[in-house]
Amino acid sequence: MADKTLRLILGDQLNCKHSWFETTDHSITYVIMEIRIETDYTTHHIQKIAGFFAAMRHFSNFLESKKHQCIYLNINDKDNLQSLEANLSFLIQRDHYTKFEYQLPDEYRVDLILKKFTSQLAIASKVYDTEHFFSTRDELAKFFEGKKTFLMESFYRAMRKKHQVLMSGDNPMTGQWNYDEENRKKLPKNHKPTAPLVFTNNVSDIMDAIVQTDIKTMGVIDKTNFIWPVNRDQSLELLAYFTTECLPLFGTYQDAMIPDEWSLYHSRLSFSLNTKMIAPAEVIEAAIAAWQKEPERIAYNQLEGFVRQIIGWREYMRGIYWLKMPEYATLNFFNHKEKLPDWYWTGKTKMNCLKDAITQSLTFAYAHHIQRLMITGNFALLAGTDPDEVDAWYLGIYIDALDWVEITNTRGMSQFADGGIVGTKPYVSSAAYIDKMSHYCGTCFYNKAKKTGDRACPFNSLYWNFYDKQEAKLAHNPRIGMMYKVWHKMKPEDQTALLEQANYYLKNINEL
């Protein structure tokens, strides 16, 4: 009997440039599937499910246009068995395949499923690299072997050297590795940011299928004007728009926040990257080419800040994920147990910063990294929220959230639930930082300057309450020793007032 191969393509493996597709072979059939096991492991934003399904359908069309054999299972197909293993077993048996092949999954959960599945298969199987990342799964583990700390900056520099990105031999091109200090400016008061590039994709058919299948979702969608890129061409268009219109001010204002401006100068390429419609190498190359073409318009700090996000943070977070899973998903350094406030699902809070960041997330399935870290994440940590709750919310609400990138950022960077594997200190702040980086506080119901009393900003008392509660675990941390000196110098009655205010807010958290 002639060889027949079934190749699985996961929903985040939509890489047109993969070596699999260089030649057409009619003995090979590709399978892509929309399944409930993926839509239901958390409550996802409606735009996230629609975005993945639309991108997967476009990719299937691409394969067929190149004369590849492709089986596509829609979410509501009557013969869709709704799990990877069940669908694969059925197809292998029905069509008499002699080989099964797949690409390395990026999620630990899916990796286990496919390892178990292939170990029990009666036919031969083979696994391939996704040909996407700058580093291998275990490269970070090898790099930090024998070390107690996993400093992102060290790994970032190693990646720059290895791939010769912005390098002159073994040295950074400008003599300086990192320009983060120059990338923390607030938007000037009357500054009008560049309007975001959005698309007008019609995903009505997908929406109909989701409704018929009764999948539980959150957020809203305009099904005839879906704003996210759903194929490689649109992803490249968004990349070109970023390098032309946004990169010149990206670095300077990458930490800035302003009401009713949801995109600012961010690239919003993470969905395209995480589905592999585009590659990190081509994203960096495009940014460097734009800078080389117009160095007087695009200052170097803008470029370096962007390159660091892609070849630094993204690769680092993935390396930590594969080094520390599955234990990482259970870490809870502070033993936090509280539920997220109800308004994380509605945006209906009197705190301007949280109202804006959450409403924006529900509307666009997107918030930039400082909104995630220093607004929604900051409050969740100050409120003592169970990291499982925070993980599930972040994993569901953002279109770019996949387990490998979400959990290290949320449980590690944002919640410090890993005790300092990813971050060197908890990322918490009072109203002072939020006001410094945003235009939220001026029109807020609460008073940013008040620590206690009527309409005192909740961040202020919760901030000191957090440090007081966690002193045994944090006092020895050299990066926050200063906070404890300030706390201990306060009058006992002032400390008591702050703790009582925090306690009142925590008891009435759903009314804030």
Side-chain angles (χ1 to χ4, degrees), residues 7 9 13-24 30 32 53-72 103 230-234 236 275-278:
R7 282 179 171 174
I9 299 170
Q13 295 178 341
L14 313 179
N15 178 4
C16 298
K17 300 291 185 183
H18 196 278
S19 57
W20 268 6
F21 313 121
E22 283 170 8
T23 55
T24 309
Y30 296 94
I32 304 173
F53 285 6
M56 288 156 67
R57 291 180 185 193
H58 273 270
F59 194 74
S60 172
N61 292 339
F62 157 77
L63 291 179
E64 287 175 358
S65 75
K66 299 292 182 189
K67 304 291 187 269
H68 295 288
Q69 315 256 57
C70 190
I71 296 168
Y72 194 95
Q103 294 174 28
V230 295
N231 55 41
R232 179 167 169 80
D233 287 346
Q234 288 183 351
L236 291 172
T275 50
K276 302 183 185 56
M277 291 188 286
I278 52 173

Tab-separated table of all heavy atoms in Angstrom, residues 7 9 13-24 30 32 53-72 103 230-234 236 275-278:
chain	number	residue	atom	x	y	z
A	7	ARG	N	-0.991	15.336	8.169
A	7	ARG	CA	-0.249	16.363	8.919
A	7	ARG	C	-1.224	17.310	9.617
A	7	ARG	O	-2.095	17.883	8.974
A	7	ARG	CB	0.648	17.164	7.981
A	7	ARG	CG	1.925	16.445	7.590
A	7	ARG	CD	2.754	17.292	6.648
A	7	ARG	NE	4.078	16.723	6.421
A	7	ARG	CZ	4.962	17.203	5.550
A	7	ARG	NH1	4.654	18.274	4.812
A	7	ARG	NH2	6.143	16.633	5.410
A	9	ILE	N	-2.183	20.754	11.501
A	9	ILE	CA	-1.817	22.171	11.670
A	9	ILE	C	-2.713	22.752	12.760
A	9	ILE	O	-3.939	22.775	12.624
A	9	ILE	CB	-1.986	22.960	10.364
A	9	ILE	CG1	-1.087	22.391	9.270
A	9	ILE	CG2	-1.670	24.445	10.581
A	9	ILE	CD1	-1.370	22.952	7.886
A	13	GLN	N	-0.458	27.806	14.190
A	13	GLN	CA	0.666	27.372	13.340
A	13	GLN	C	0.402	27.720	11.875
A	13	GLN	O	0.610	26.914	10.975
A	13	GLN	CB	0.893	25.865	13.511
A	13	GLN	CG	1.351	25.499	14.923
A	13	GLN	CD	1.539	24.007	15.131
A	13	GLN	OE1	1.021	23.183	14.372
A	13	GLN	NE2	2.276	23.660	16.172
A	14	LEU	N	-0.037	28.960	11.646
A	14	LEU	CA	-0.470	29.365	10.299
A	14	LEU	C	0.674	30.028	9.549
A	14	LEU	O	0.609	31.185	9.129
A	14	LEU	CB	-1.690	30.294	10.427
A	14	LEU	CG	-2.792	29.790	11.384
A	14	LEU	CD1	-3.930	30.785	11.457
A	14	LEU	CD2	-3.305	28.406	10.966
A	15	ASN	N	1.746	29.265	9.384
A	15	ASN	CA	2.999	29.776	8.830
A	15	ASN	C	3.150	29.387	7.360
A	15	ASN	O	3.583	28.280	7.036
A	15	ASN	CB	4.161	29.227	9.674
A	15	ASN	CG	5.522	29.655	9.167
A	15	ASN	OD1	5.622	30.435	8.222
A	15	ASN	ND2	6.567	29.148	9.787
A	16	CYS	N	2.774	30.304	6.475
A	16	CYS	CA	2.867	30.048	5.013
A	16	CYS	C	4.272	29.697	4.561
A	16	CYS	O	4.464	29.041	3.543
A	16	CYS	CB	2.454	31.304	4.234
A	16	CYS	SG	0.782	31.830	4.492
A	17	LYS	N	5.270	30.183	5.318
A	17	LYS	CA	6.673	30.028	4.896
A	17	LYS	C	7.312	28.747	5.435
A	17	LYS	O	8.496	28.518	5.241
A	17	LYS	CB	7.489	31.243	5.379
A	17	LYS	CG	7.010	32.587	4.833
A	17	LYS	CD	7.285	32.683	3.349
A	17	LYS	CE	6.928	34.041	2.789
A	17	LYS	NZ	7.127	34.087	1.341
A	18	HIS	N	6.547	27.928	6.117
A	18	HIS	CA	7.101	26.686	6.670
A	18	HIS	C	7.553	25.771	5.538
A	18	HIS	O	6.924	25.709	4.476
A	18	HIS	CB	6.053	25.992	7.543
A	18	HIS	CG	6.635	24.946	8.433
A	18	HIS	ND1	6.912	23.664	7.993
A	18	HIS	CD2	7.007	24.977	9.742
A	18	HIS	CE1	7.424	22.958	8.997
A	18	HIS	NE2	7.486	23.734	10.071
A	19	SER	N	8.641	25.051	5.786
A	19	SER	CA	9.213	24.176	4.746
A	19	SER	C	8.243	23.078	4.305
A	19	SER	O	8.380	22.526	3.206
A	19	SER	CB	10.523	23.547	5.241
A	19	SER	OG	10.309	22.838	6.445
A	20	TRP	N	7.254	22.764	5.140
A	20	TRP	CA	6.234	21.787	4.752
A	20	TRP	C	5.575	22.152	3.420
A	20	TRP	O	5.168	21.284	2.664
A	20	TRP	CB	5.135	21.750	5.825
A	20	TRP	CG	5.340	20.734	6.900
A	20	TRP	CD1	6.429	19.935	7.088
A	20	TRP	CD2	4.410	20.407	7.937
A	20	TRP	NE1	6.230	19.132	8.189
A	20	TRP	CE2	5.009	19.394	8.728
A	20	TRP	CE3	3.143	20.862	8.286
A	20	TRP	CZ2	4.374	18.833	9.833
A	20	TRP	CZ3	2.502	20.302	9.390
A	20	TRP	CH2	3.123	19.299	10.158
A	21	PHE	N	5.427	23.438	3.180
A	21	PHE	CA	4.596	23.873	2.050
A	21	PHE	C	5.388	24.247	0.797
A	21	PHE	O	4.827	24.774	-0.157
A	21	PHE	CB	3.707	25.047	2.487
A	21	PHE	CG	3.018	24.808	3.803
A	21	PHE	CD1	3.205	25.664	4.883
A	21	PHE	CD2	2.209	23.690	3.985
A	21	PHE	CE1	2.598	25.420	6.106
A	21	PHE	CE2	1.595	23.437	5.206
A	21	PHE	CZ	1.793	24.306	6.270
A	22	GLU	N	6.705	23.974	0.822
A	22	GLU	CA	7.553	24.335	-0.325
A	22	GLU	C	7.222	23.505	-1.558
A	22	GLU	O	7.325	23.983	-2.683
A	22	GLU	CB	9.038	24.167	0.044
A	22	GLU	CG	9.556	25.310	0.906
A	22	GLU	CD	10.934	25.026	1.479
A	22	GLU	OE1	11.548	24.001	1.084
A	22	GLU	OE2	11.390	25.813	2.330
A	23	THR	N	6.847	22.256	-1.345
A	23	THR	CA	6.482	21.398	-2.482
A	23	THR	C	5.102	20.799	-2.254
A	23	THR	O	4.660	20.659	-1.107
A	23	THR	CB	7.497	20.239	-2.652
A	23	THR	OG1	7.571	19.532	-1.413
A	23	THR	CG2	8.874	20.757	-3.024
A	24	THR	N	4.454	20.475	-3.329
A	24	THR	CA	3.123	19.861	-3.248
A	24	THR	C	3.278	18.353	-3.404
A	24	THR	O	3.948	17.890	-4.326
A	24	THR	CB	2.219	20.402	-4.372
A	24	THR	OG1	2.279	21.822	-4.339
A	24	THR	CG2	0.789	19.970	-4.173
A	30	TYR	N	-3.254	17.725	4.812
A	30	TYR	CA	-3.209	18.571	6.013
A	30	TYR	C	-4.592	18.614	6.655
A	30	TYR	O	-5.597	18.609	5.948
A	30	TYR	CB	-2.747	19.991	5.645
A	30	TYR	CG	-1.336	20.007	5.124
A	30	TYR	CD1	-1.064	19.944	3.750
A	30	TYR	CD2	-0.255	20.050	6.006
A	30	TYR	CE1	0.236	19.921	3.276
A	30	TYR	CE2	1.053	20.025	5.541
A	30	TYR	CZ	1.294	19.966	4.173
A	30	TYR	OH	2.583	19.940	3.704
A	32	ILE	N	-6.840	20.853	9.584
A	32	ILE	CA	-7.006	21.989	10.496
A	32	ILE	C	-8.390	21.845	11.119
A	32	ILE	O	-9.350	21.555	10.412
A	32	ILE	CB	-6.894	23.338	9.734
A	32	ILE	CG1	-5.568	23.426	8.968
A	32	ILE	CG2	-7.042	24.517	10.684
A	32	ILE	CD1	-5.454	24.637	8.050
A	53	PHE	N	-10.537	31.478	14.228
A	53	PHE	CA	-11.253	30.716	13.202
A	53	PHE	C	-11.086	31.360	11.820
A	53	PHE	O	-10.881	30.667	10.816
A	53	PHE	CB	-12.739	30.617	13.559
A	53	PHE	CG	-13.052	29.633	14.665
A	53	PHE	CD1	-12.049	28.991	15.370
A	53	PHE	CD2	-14.375	29.355	15.002
A	53	PHE	CE1	-12.344	28.094	16.395
A	53	PHE	CE2	-14.692	28.443	16.012
A	53	PHE	CZ	-13.671	27.827	16.722
A	54	ALA	N	-11.172	32.685	11.764
A	54	ALA	CA	-11.028	33.375	10.468
A	54	ALA	C	-9.634	33.158	9.895
A	54	ALA	O	-9.476	32.863	8.700
A	54	ALA	CB	-11.307	34.867	10.634
A	55	ALA	N	-8.614	33.272	10.738
A	55	ALA	CA	-7.233	33.079	10.278
A	55	ALA	C	-7.002	31.632	9.833
A	55	ALA	O	-6.341	31.378	8.818
A	55	ALA	CB	-6.262	33.461	11.392
A	56	MET	N	-7.581	30.685	10.571
A	56	MET	CA	-7.447	29.265	10.205
A	56	MET	C	-8.125	28.984	8.868
A	56	MET	O	-7.587	28.267	8.014
A	56	MET	CB	-8.053	28.392	11.308
A	56	MET	CG	-7.219	28.360	12.584
A	56	MET	SD	-8.176	27.945	14.075
A	56	MET	CE	-8.638	26.246	13.742
A	57	ARG	N	-9.296	29.567	8.651
A	57	ARG	CA	-10.017	29.353	7.384
A	57	ARG	C	-9.261	29.977	6.207
A	57	ARG	O	-9.187	29.382	5.126
A	57	ARG	CB	-11.439	29.910	7.499
A	57	ARG	CG	-12.301	29.094	8.458
A	57	ARG	CD	-13.725	29.624	8.597
A	57	ARG	NE	-14.467	28.883	9.620
A	57	ARG	CZ	-15.774	28.946	9.796
A	57	ARG	NH1	-16.517	29.732	9.018
A	57	ARG	NH2	-16.368	28.236	10.741
A	58	HIS	N	-8.695	31.151	6.431
A	58	HIS	CA	-7.879	31.778	5.384
A	58	HIS	C	-6.663	30.914	5.060
A	58	HIS	O	-6.273	30.792	3.894
A	58	HIS	CB	-7.424	33.172	5.821
A	58	HIS	CG	-8.415	34.256	5.495
A	58	HIS	ND1	-8.400	34.945	4.293
A	58	HIS	CD2	-9.458	34.750	6.191
A	58	HIS	CE1	-9.392	35.822	4.290
A	58	HIS	NE2	-10.058	35.723	5.424
A	59	PHE	N	-6.069	30.328	6.098
A	59	PHE	CA	-4.888	29.501	5.877
A	59	PHE	C	-5.243	28.243	5.095
A	59	PHE	O	-4.494	27.818	4.207
A	59	PHE	CB	-4.238	29.133	7.216
A	59	PHE	CG	-2.852	28.570	7.060
A	59	PHE	CD1	-1.792	29.400	6.738
A	59	PHE	CD2	-2.615	27.216	7.208
A	59	PHE	CE1	-0.509	28.883	6.572
A	59	PHE	CE2	-1.340	26.686	7.049
A	59	PHE	CZ	-0.283	27.530	6.734
A	60	SER	N	-6.391	27.667	5.393
A	60	SER	CA	-6.859	26.509	4.642
A	60	SER	C	-7.052	26.866	3.165
A	60	SER	O	-6.660	26.105	2.269
A	60	SER	CB	-8.171	26.008	5.248
A	60	SER	OG	-8.747	25.006	4.451
A	61	ASN	N	-7.612	28.046	2.925
A	61	ASN	CA	-7.792	28.514	1.540
A	61	ASN	C	-6.445	28.710	0.843
A	61	ASN	O	-6.299	28.400	-0.342
A	61	ASN	CB	-8.578	29.827	1.509
A	61	ASN	CG	-10.016	29.635	1.949
A	61	ASN	OD1	-10.537	28.525	1.910
A	61	ASN	ND2	-10.656	30.715	2.390
A	62	PHE	N	-5.465	29.216	1.600
A	62	PHE	CA	-4.110	29.383	1.051
A	62	PHE	C	-3.541	28.027	0.618
A	62	PHE	O	-2.992	27.887	-0.485
A	62	PHE	CB	-3.199	30.051	2.082
A	62	PHE	CG	-1.733	29.784	1.871
A	62	PHE	CD1	-1.027	30.461	0.874
A	62	PHE	CD2	-1.058	28.835	2.639
A	62	PHE	CE1	0.327	30.193	0.660
A	62	PHE	CE2	0.283	28.556	2.422
A	62	PHE	CZ	0.983	29.242	1.436
A	63	LEU	N	-3.664	27.026	1.492
A	63	LEU	CA	-3.138	25.697	1.170
A	63	LEU	C	-3.798	25.138	-0.094
A	63	LEU	O	-3.117	24.595	-0.981
A	63	LEU	CB	-3.360	24.733	2.338
A	63	LEU	CG	-2.541	24.975	3.605
A	63	LEU	CD1	-2.895	23.940	4.667
A	63	LEU	CD2	-1.046	24.930	3.320
A	64	GLU	N	-5.107	25.288	-0.186
A	64	GLU	CA	-5.826	24.777	-1.360
A	64	GLU	C	-5.432	25.530	-2.630
A	64	GLU	O	-5.336	24.943	-3.707
A	64	GLU	CB	-7.331	24.835	-1.103
A	64	GLU	CG	-7.763	23.763	-0.103
A	64	GLU	CD	-9.223	23.838	0.285
A	64	GLU	OE1	-9.930	24.757	-0.198
A	64	GLU	OE2	-9.655	22.981	1.071
A	65	SER	N	-5.166	26.824	-2.486
A	65	SER	CA	-4.743	27.622	-3.663
A	65	SER	C	-3.384	27.166	-4.172
A	65	SER	O	-3.055	27.336	-5.347
A	65	SER	CB	-4.703	29.116	-3.320
A	65	SER	OG	-3.568	29.410	-2.525
A	66	LYS	N	-2.568	26.566	-3.278
A	66	LYS	CA	-1.251	26.047	-3.662
A	66	LYS	C	-1.318	24.557	-3.999
A	66	LYS	O	-0.290	23.879	-4.077
A	66	LYS	CB	-0.243	26.285	-2.534
A	66	LYS	CG	-0.031	27.754	-2.189
A	66	LYS	CD	0.659	28.496	-3.302
A	66	LYS	CE	0.910	29.947	-2.946
A	66	LYS	NZ	1.386	30.731	-4.091
A	67	LYS	N	-2.551	24.057	-4.136
A	67	LYS	CA	-2.808	22.669	-4.556
A	67	LYS	C	-2.419	21.616	-3.515
A	67	LYS	O	-2.156	20.455	-3.846
A	67	LYS	CB	-2.093	22.343	-5.892
A	67	LYS	CG	-2.461	23.295	-7.031
A	67	LYS	CD	-3.898	23.100	-7.479
A	67	LYS	CE	-4.278	23.902	-8.714
A	67	LYS	NZ	-4.838	25.220	-8.413
A	68	HIS	N	-2.361	22.040	-2.244
A	68	HIS	CA	-2.171	21.060	-1.164
A	68	HIS	C	-3.518	20.444	-0.819
A	68	HIS	O	-4.550	21.097	-0.913
A	68	HIS	CB	-1.590	21.734	0.084
A	68	HIS	CG	-0.202	22.275	-0.099
A	68	HIS	ND1	0.908	21.478	-0.206
A	68	HIS	CD2	0.248	23.560	-0.199
A	68	HIS	CE1	1.992	22.233	-0.357
A	68	HIS	NE2	1.603	23.505	-0.358
A	69	GLN	N	-3.505	19.175	-0.400
A	69	GLN	CA	-4.724	18.519	0.065
A	69	GLN	C	-5.004	18.978	1.487
A	69	GLN	O	-4.107	18.929	2.335
A	69	GLN	CB	-4.518	16.993	0.100
A	69	GLN	CG	-3.849	16.419	-1.130
A	69	GLN	CD	-4.861	15.721	-2.012
A	69	GLN	OE1	-5.833	16.323	-2.427
A	69	GLN	NE2	-4.621	14.461	-2.292
A	70	CYS	N	-6.225	19.382	1.755
A	70	CYS	CA	-6.530	19.912	3.091
A	70	CYS	C	-7.929	19.502	3.553
A	70	CYS	O	-8.898	19.639	2.807
A	70	CYS	CB	-6.403	21.435	3.080
A	70	CYS	SG	-6.472	22.160	4.721
A	71	ILE	N	-8.001	18.996	4.772
A	71	ILE	CA	-9.286	18.717	5.416
A	71	ILE	C	-9.506	19.825	6.443
A	71	ILE	O	-8.617	20.106	7.258
A	71	ILE	CB	-9.261	17.350	6.133
A	71	ILE	CG1	-9.075	16.207	5.125
A	71	ILE	CG2	-10.531	17.145	6.967
A	71	ILE	CD1	-8.752	14.868	5.780
A	72	TYR	N	-10.661	20.453	6.397
A	72	TYR	CA	-10.961	21.509	7.367
A	72	TYR	C	-12.244	21.155	8.113
A	72	TYR	O	-13.287	20.929	7.497
A	72	TYR	CB	-11.127	22.875	6.677
A	72	TYR	CG	-11.106	24.016	7.668
A	72	TYR	CD1	-9.926	24.696	7.929
A	72	TYR	CD2	-12.250	24.374	8.387
A	72	TYR	CE1	-9.885	25.719	8.880
A	72	TYR	CE2	-12.216	25.376	9.335
A	72	TYR	CZ	-11.027	26.052	9.579
A	72	TYR	OH	-10.984	27.053	10.525
A	103	GLN	N	3.675	19.643	14.043
A	103	GLN	CA	4.707	20.589	14.462
A	103	GLN	C	4.650	20.755	15.979
A	103	GLN	O	3.583	20.640	16.582
A	103	GLN	CB	4.493	21.947	13.789
A	103	GLN	CG	4.676	21.919	12.281
A	103	GLN	CD	4.300	23.250	11.634
A	103	GLN	OE1	4.390	24.308	12.256
A	103	GLN	NE2	3.883	23.196	10.379
A	230	VAL	N	-6.486	38.819	9.507
A	230	VAL	CA	-6.866	37.403	9.502
A	230	VAL	C	-6.063	36.590	8.482
A	230	VAL	O	-6.345	35.414	8.265
A	230	VAL	CB	-8.386	37.230	9.241
A	230	VAL	CG1	-9.193	37.832	10.386
A	230	VAL	CG2	-8.799	37.842	7.911
A	231	ASN	N	-5.073	37.201	7.865
A	231	ASN	CA	-4.211	36.463	6.935
A	231	ASN	C	-2.846	37.141	6.871
A	231	ASN	O	-2.634	38.197	7.481
A	231	ASN	CB	-4.853	36.357	5.542
A	231	ASN	CG	-5.218	37.711	4.975
A	231	ASN	OD1	-4.466	38.678	5.101
A	231	ASN	ND2	-6.386	37.808	4.354
A	232	ARG	N	-1.955	36.535	6.126
A	232	ARG	CA	-0.585	37.058	6.044
A	232	ARG	C	-0.541	38.446	5.394
A	232	ARG	O	0.184	39.327	5.866
A	232	ARG	CB	0.291	36.070	5.277
A	232	ARG	CG	1.718	36.555	5.130
A	232	ARG	CD	2.655	35.472	4.659
A	232	ARG	NE	3.944	36.039	4.287
A	232	ARG	CZ	4.893	36.373	5.163
A	232	ARG	NH1	4.685	36.215	6.454
A	232	ARG	NH2	6.035	36.880	4.751
A	233	ASP	N	-1.291	38.651	4.336
A	233	ASP	CA	-1.268	39.953	3.652
A	233	ASP	C	-1.674	41.085	4.587
A	233	ASP	O	-1.035	42.144	4.614
A	233	ASP	CB	-2.190	39.938	2.421
A	233	ASP	CG	-1.600	39.130	1.274
A	233	ASP	OD1	-0.391	38.818	1.340
A	233	ASP	OD2	-2.344	38.800	0.332
A	234	GLN	N	-2.734	40.873	5.356
A	234	GLN	CA	-3.171	41.908	6.291
A	234	GLN	C	-2.143	42.101	7.408
A	234	GLN	O	-1.909	43.234	7.860
A	234	GLN	CB	-4.538	41.553	6.880
A	234	GLN	CG	-5.677	41.692	5.876
A	234	GLN	CD	-7.045	41.402	6.485
A	234	GLN	OE1	-7.157	40.937	7.625
A	234	GLN	NE2	-8.089	41.679	5.720
A	236	LEU	N	1.089	41.730	7.138
A	236	LEU	CA	2.197	42.510	6.556
A	236	LEU	C	1.796	43.980	6.378
A	236	LEU	O	2.624	44.883	6.546
A	236	LEU	CB	2.622	41.905	5.214
A	236	LEU	CG	3.311	40.545	5.301
A	236	LEU	CD1	3.506	39.948	3.911
A	236	LEU	CD2	4.662	40.643	6.034
A	275	THR	N	-0.038	33.636	16.007
A	275	THR	CA	-0.647	32.647	15.109
A	275	THR	C	0.340	32.234	14.017
A	275	THR	O	0.045	31.358	13.213
A	275	THR	CB	-1.908	33.227	14.433
A	275	THR	OG1	-1.578	34.494	13.874
A	275	THR	CG2	-3.055	33.368	15.399
A	276	LYS	N	1.490	32.908	13.978
A	276	LYS	CA	2.579	32.651	13.024
A	276	LYS	C	2.251	33.077	11.585
A	276	LYS	O	2.875	32.594	10.638
A	276	LYS	CB	3.059	31.204	13.084
A	276	LYS	CG	3.537	30.811	14.477
A	276	LYS	CD	4.073	29.408	14.549
A	276	LYS	CE	4.428	29.029	15.969
A	276	LYS	NZ	3.346	29.169	16.946
A	277	MET	N	1.261	33.967	11.446
A	277	MET	CA	1.003	34.515	10.104
A	277	MET	C	2.211	35.322	9.628
A	277	MET	O	2.451	35.443	8.437
A	277	MET	CB	-0.266	35.378	10.119
A	277	MET	CG	-1.539	34.579	10.330
A	277	MET	SD	-3.063	35.543	10.110
A	277	MET	CE	-3.120	36.540	11.601
A	278	ILE	N	2.942	35.901	10.583
A	278	ILE	CA	4.220	36.541	10.275
A	278	ILE	C	5.257	36.054	11.284
A	278	ILE	O	4.899	35.541	12.345
A	278	ILE	CB	4.155	38.092	10.296
A	278	ILE	CG1	3.539	38.597	11.605
A	278	ILE	CG2	3.391	38.624	9.102
A	278	ILE	CD1	3.609	40.100	11.768
